[in-house]
Amino acid sequence: MTALTKLFRTTTFRLSLTYLALFSVAAVLAVFYIYWNTTVLLSRQLNQTIDAELKGLAEQYRAGGLDQLVRIVAERSQTPGNSLYLVADKDGKQLAGNLSAVSPQLWDSLGPVEFVYSRPAPGGVERRLAFANVFRLPGGYRLIVGRDIEDRRELARLIRTTMLWGLGVMALVGIGGGYWVSRRLLTRIDSLSATTRTIMAGDLTGRLPVSGSGDELDRLSESLNLMLARIEQLMAGLREVSDNIAHDLKTPLNRLRNRVEEALREPHDETAHREALERTIEEADGLIKTFNALLSIARLEAGAAGENRETLDLAALVGDVAELYEPVAEERGIGLRSEAGTPIVIHGDRQLLGQAIANLIDNALKYGALSSDGGNGRAPEVEVRTEAGEGFARIIVADRGPGVPAAERDRVLGRFVRLEASRSEPGSGLGLSLVAAVARLHGGFLRLEDNEPGLRVVLELPTEGDALVNGVAEEPPAGAESRPT
């Protein structure tokens, strides 16, 4: 397919031709309607003028006979203008008027009639169009009263010529404009197609070009770029999960296998074998929990979770989860203070939000007091509260522990990331990855702040409208981070 054929087959060029044809038809109809109405109006006025003049001449004829009629017609014929007169005897001999000769057809006519007559002109004789009313008098005499309407014919010729030239220019401009617009659009489409082929070849970093004009192609490109960014994010998450499974789960599986081999090498001892099996089951349960956490994160990031959304009181949900952790906090010797506050109504998945809140509190209880005084001279304490603002709700979990170094806060949200200070506590490093995924699913985000001392974790969620199930979450403000489990 040649470039010109490809251009002519574009939808834009076809639409341009269609609009050109429709506009041309509309223009022709409009001009024809105006011309037709103008002609009808002029003809009506001409008929009325000639009829009025005939009535006046008829009165003159009745009052003074043929001689007076001839005298009046002779006088009027001397007046310059488009008026035409003729009074002739039965043989066609002119008695008065400015029509020197008439055709047999005009002589035999009766009433209104159009005809062509000749009159002297510079350089010769010219033929002109006229309209007249033929009136027969007693004795075979004829009275003809008319008007020169050559100007009407010239007007019709001018309108016809102008219309043809106008249509020609309109067609030229329309086809040229269609060609130019189609070429511009085709250039952009070819650019989009080239980028799309690059993406189909496996380069998910490619993005559709945006011209900045804000037209429909720009809006389409922006939407597709958001979709591509989301796909790239999901693919990166998939690769990350695969890498995490390959690397981070290899150690516990090897440990599990070594423990079983060690039990098999030991002499037959039912107590030792039972203990080895119990530890193996415990290790297997931990692996199952890790796999379940990875699956939950993948489902959340793919937007395949959160179907059971309902209107709920976030403050009450936070209070209920905090109440469940009070025995754990008491056992660890940590003060757990919950301030639910006034009811905050949002639309979300109760189970996912409850799990996210539980992870935040569990993290604070685990890592908020790694030493007896939190490592900073303050008594161990975890504070859980909710806040409501215009269009958003916040869940705040703050502790008095050692916190997370500022240099590590960009890294700790990744899967299986655990800081050295937290390796003494059980965990897989997936808790806050799950919390961040829940936040994104609900259109919110997770933010880390310094609690001076300790760490303050803020989960912010929208309260107006339904959260996007598979949309891009609001970008967190500067300093938004997460902490590990």
Side-chain angles (χ1 to χ4, degrees):
M1 181 185 300
T2 63
L4 191 61
T5 304
K6 186 178 180 181
L7 182 67
F8 288 158
R9 294 183 63 181
T10 60
T11 302
T12 305
F13 190 79
R14 293 179 180 179
L15 285 177
S16 299
L17 293 183
T18 302
Y19 291 148
L20 174 62
L22 292 176
F23 184 78
S24 300
V25 171
V28 169
L29 291 177
V31 172
F32 177 78
Y33 178 77
I34 294 173
Y35 171 73
W36 181 77
N37 278 277
T38 303
T39 303
V40 170
L41 177 62
L42 293 176
S43 299
R44 186 183 300 118
Q45 292 177 346
L46 182 62
N47 285 329
Q48 292 173 353
T49 302
I50 293 176
D51 288 344
E53 194 163 6
L54 278 174
K55 288 180 182 179
L57 292 174
E59 292 178 358
Q60 294 293 333
Y61 177 76
R62 285 192 294 269
L66 181 63
D67 292 339
Q68 185 168 340
L69 176 63
V70 170
R71 181 175 58 82
I72 296 297
V73 168
E75 291 177 356
R76 294 185 179 182
S77 298
Q78 300 303 318
T79 304
N82 293 329
S83 298
L84 300 174
Y85 300 98
L86 177 65
V87 178
D89 60 14
K90 63 180 180 179
D91 297 325
K93 181 181 178 181
Q94 180 184 18
L95 301 178
N98 52 10
L99 275 175
S100 58
V102 296
S103 64
Q105 292 81 7
L106 178 60
W107 182 262
D108 294 333
S109 301
L110 182 64
V113 62
E114 281 189 4
F115 63 98
V116 177
Y117 75 102
S118 300
R119 76 175 186 184
V125 177
E126 63 176 348
R127 297 175 60 81
R128 298 176 67 88
L129 183 66
F131 177 82
N133 202 324
V134 180
F135 191 76
R136 294 181 183 180
L137 300 174
Y141 290 89
R142 296 287 193 277
L143 172 63
I144 300 176
V145 178
R147 293 289 187 275
D148 187 306
I149 59 172
E150 182 65 23
D151 293 342
R152 275 175 45 185
R153 186 161 68 173
E154 288 294 329
L155 176 62
R157 187 182 299 113
L158 178 63
I159 291 176
R160 185 166 55 251
T161 303
T162 303
M163 186 181 300
L164 291 176
W165 274 102
L167 289 177
V169 173
M170 191 186 306
L172 184 63
V173 172
I175 294 175
Y179 176 85
W180 180 73
V181 172
S182 300
R183 188 172 184 83
R184 283 196 62 193
L185 183 63
L186 190 61
T187 301
R188 294 183 63 185
I189 293 295
D190 288 341
S191 178
L192 294 177
S193 299
T195 305
T196 304
R197 285 192 292 270
T198 302
I199 295 171
M200 291 174 60
D203 183 13
L204 293 179
T205 60
R207 293 295 180 268
L208 301 179
V210 179
S211 66
S213 62
D215 59 6
E216 58 276 7
L217 284 180
D218 272 2
R219 295 195 298 270
L220 177 62
S221 297
E222 289 169 356
S223 298
L224 291 177
N225 285 340
L226 289 175
M227 181 186 69
L228 290 171
R230 182 61 176 162
I231 293 175
E232 184 181 13
Q233 179 184 3
L234 293 176
M235 294 298 293
L238 180 61
R239 287 192 296 269
E240 185 179 355
V241 169
S242 302
D243 293 342
N244 291 334
I245 291 176
H247 295 89
D248 295 88
L249 296 182
K250 182 178 180 180
T251 299
L253 286 174
N254 285 334
R255 188 166 57 244
L256 184 65
R257 185 178 185 278
N258 292 336
R259 183 175 292 116
V260 174
E261 286 184 345
E262 182 180 353
L264 290 176
R265 285 196 300 267
E266 294 292 331
H268 180 71
D269 185 346
E270 183 176 350
T271 302
H273 286 177
R274 184 176 184 86
E275 181 180 352
L277 288 175
E278 289 176 351
R279 293 175 63 188
T280 300
I281 292 174
E282 182 180 349
E283 194 80 25
D285 288 340
L287 287 173
I288 292 174
K289 290 180 181 179
T290 300
F291 275 112
N292 288 338
L294 285 172
L295 180 61
S296 297
I297 294 172
R299 283 172 50 82
L300 289 170
E301 291 182 345
E307 301 90 349
N308 302 319
R309 293 178 181 251
E310 59 180 295
T311 301
L312 55 91
D313 182 358
L314 185 63
L317 180 61
V318 170
D320 293 341
V321 176
E323 185 178 354
L324 292 176
Y325 275 88
E326 287 179 355
V328 179
E330 184 178 354
E331 181 180 348
R332 287 177 168 264
I334 300 175
L336 178 59
R337 185 158 51 93
S338 174
E339 297 178 5
T342 58
I344 303 175
V345 179
I346 69 168
H347 190 73
D349 190 303
R350 181 184 296 272
Q351 181 178 355
L352 293 177
L353 290 174
Q355 186 175 0
I357 297 167
N359 281 5
L360 293 178
I361 297 176
D362 186 66
N363 281 355
L365 293 176
K366 283 182 181 179
Y367 312 119
L370 293 179
S371 61
S372 60
D373 59 356
N376 49 37
R378 300 293 298 269
E381 182 183 51
V382 172
E383 179 186 6
V384 182
R385 71 175 189 274
T386 56
E387 292 179 355
E390 186 176 351
F392 65 88
R394 291 194 183 106
I395 303 171
I396 302 172
V397 179
D399 60 54
R400 298 293 183 181
V404 176
E408 299 287 343
R409 291 178 184 175
D410 291 334
R411 187 175 67 90
V412 292
L413 186 57
R415 298 184 183 97
F416 297 108
V417 176
R418 304 186 70 196
L419 300 181
E420 290 299 327
S422 64
R423 293 192 178 276
S424 60
E425 293 288 337
S428 60
L430 293 172
L432 274 209
S433 295
L434 182 63
V435 176
V438 172
R440 285 193 297 269
L441 182 72
H442 287 81
F445 54 84
L446 198 62
R447 183 171 70 246
L448 282 184
E449 299 174 351
D450 192 352
N451 198 37
E452 298 180 353
L455 189 67
R456 170 184 157 112
V457 184
V458 180
L459 173 60
E460 185 165 315
L461 302 170
T463 57
E464 296 179 355
D466 294 347
L468 299 176
V469 173
N470 199 15
V472 178
E474 178 185 357
E475 290 294 330
E481 301 153 323
S482 295
R483 61 171 296 167
T485 58

